[in-house]
Amino acid sequence: MAKQAERRAATSEAILAAARRLFGTQGFAATTMDEIAEGASVAKGAVYHHFKTKEAVFEAVFDSVSRDLVAEIDRTARAEKDVLAAMVAGTQHYFAATAKGPTGQIILRDGPAVLGWERWREIDAQHFGGKMPRALSAAMEAGLIARQPVEPLARLLLGAVTEAAVACAGRADIARAGAEYARAFRSLVEALRVKP
């Protein structure tokens, strides 16, 4: 029984790895279930056994990419002096990662279109989006910003970050645009800081 579970898990991982490569390089619309099966070296029926639709495969890939992105952001943020500086550094990393390449294709270009904004937000709230309210709560606990309702502030800041990342993704000069938005976000966050 354990071997069968291991085989199922290995097949699922192979499918998701192939789908991630394909969705990241050619996008959701251009990727077929046949290509995913071929990339995973499994029969098309095996793909459908694990995932009922291409959208279901995409959702699993989106979740995985989001989880990996948050792990990268956490590594970046840990080096900062306090939670506000960590928010800025983490958001700068988010801009850079989602403005280009496979991560940007999956998270920003295809994510909202394939999943719909509501589901996109639900999944994001388990990853990057969920970090904002926790960081703001920690900043309030540390006395870095004034106590206030966390949810509205988190939604406003997260909305700004998402809009900025989408804007970066559409620009030819992604690196420059990302740096500009990161500076603007730093200004927003630093304006919240309690002055000594």
Side-chain angles (χ1 to χ4, degrees), residues 47 49 60 78 105 162 180:
V47 177
H49 175 74
R78 274 190 219 112
Q105 182 68 43
T162 303
E180 289 170 0

Side-chain angles (χ1 to χ4, degrees), residues 14-36:
I15 292 166
L16 291 176
R20 184 172 179 160
R21 274 191 314 275
L22 291 162
F23 291 147
T25 56
Q26 61 191 40
F28 176 83
T31 299
T32 66
M33 291 293 260
D34 288 324
E35 290 173 311
I36 292 169

Side-chain angles (χ1 to χ4, degrees), residues 83 87 131-143 145 147 150:
V83 69
M87 281 175 61
K131 293 198 145 305
M132 193 72 70
R134 291 191 297 273
L136 290 169
S137 292
M140 289 177 202
E141 288 296 318
I145 62 176
R147 289 197 180 275
V150 172

Side-chain angles (χ1 to χ4, degrees), residues 4 24 171 179:
Q4 187 178 4
R171 299 262 302 258

Side-chain angles (χ1 to χ4, degrees), residues 4-5 21 60 66 95 100 110-111 116 141 156 169 174 192:
Q4 187 178 4
R21 274 191 314 275
S66 296
F95 286 151
K100 64 183 187 323
D110 284 337
E141 288 296 318
L156 286 168
I174 289 168
L192 296 171

